[in-house]
Amino acid sequence: MDETADYTLEIQIATRFLDEESAPDDDRYVFAYTIRIRNLGRLPAQLLARHWVITDANGKVEEVRGDGVVGEQPRIEPGEQFTYTSGAVLEAAVGTMQGSYDMIGDDGTHFDAPIPPFTLSMPRTLH
């Protein structure tokens, strides 16, 4: 019997500070993040929507909800991956993001794929 779960996603995140688009004197800190979503499950799944909770070092919390990611609602086959890059603008040099993807399987199963918390940080601001 196959012990692989029907729906299992691995989410990996890489971030970078965009110095050329930031203006620290105006409390504008721009970050890019690249997310890779790998389908480790047995069945295909489609990403329908996203939910982000973005918190900066000043304690400002912003929630963002929307359809898909970067204008797409990718369907990810078992063993395949989808990678995209997007961005966030903070009013502080450090912040965190976390959230979830609203997914649907080919069999109609809806599930949330949690996005683990990650840090956005201007270089040389965290030890």
Side-chain angles (χ1 to χ4, degrees):
M1 190 161 139
D2 188 356
E3 295 294 319
T4 303
D6 287 347
Y7 301 108
T8 304
L9 298 179
E10 175 188 73
I11 298 173
Q12 295 182 318
I13 302 123
T15 65
R16 69 182 188 281
F17 176 67
L18 300 180
D19 188 43
E20 64 282 0
E21 294 183 35
S22 298
D25 291 342
D26 297 326
D27 295 327
R28 178 181 164 84
Y29 301 86
V30 182
F31 300 89
Y33 55 88
T34 299
I35 297 186
R36 185 182 79 177
I37 306 165
R38 255 179 70 202
N39 186 346
L40 302 178
R42 290 189 315 111
L43 301 174
Q46 182 177 13
L47 190 159
L48 298 177
R50 69 192 181 285
H51 173 224
W52 286 110
V53 178
I54 307 163
T55 307
D56 72 19
N58 299 326
K60 179 182 176 186
V61 178
E62 181 182 1
E63 285 199 58
V64 177
R65 294 178 188 273
D67 291 339
V69 290
V70 296
E72 296 186 52
Q73 292 181 313
R75 182 174 180 273
I76 309 168
E77 295 284 339
E80 292 189 351
Q81 63 187 28
F82 178 79
T83 302
Y84 73 96
T85 299
S86 191
V89 180
L90 303 181
E91 295 176 5
V94 178
T96 61
M97 290 180 66
Q98 63 184 344
S100 62
Y101 296 121
D102 177 24
M103 307 291 297
I104 188 168
D106 278 8
D107 63 359
T109 299
H110 274 267
F111 65 99
D112 281 339
I115 305 165
F118 59 95
T119 301
L120 302 170
S121 176
M122 185 174 148
R124 297 173 294 284
T125 55
L126 291 180
H127 300 286

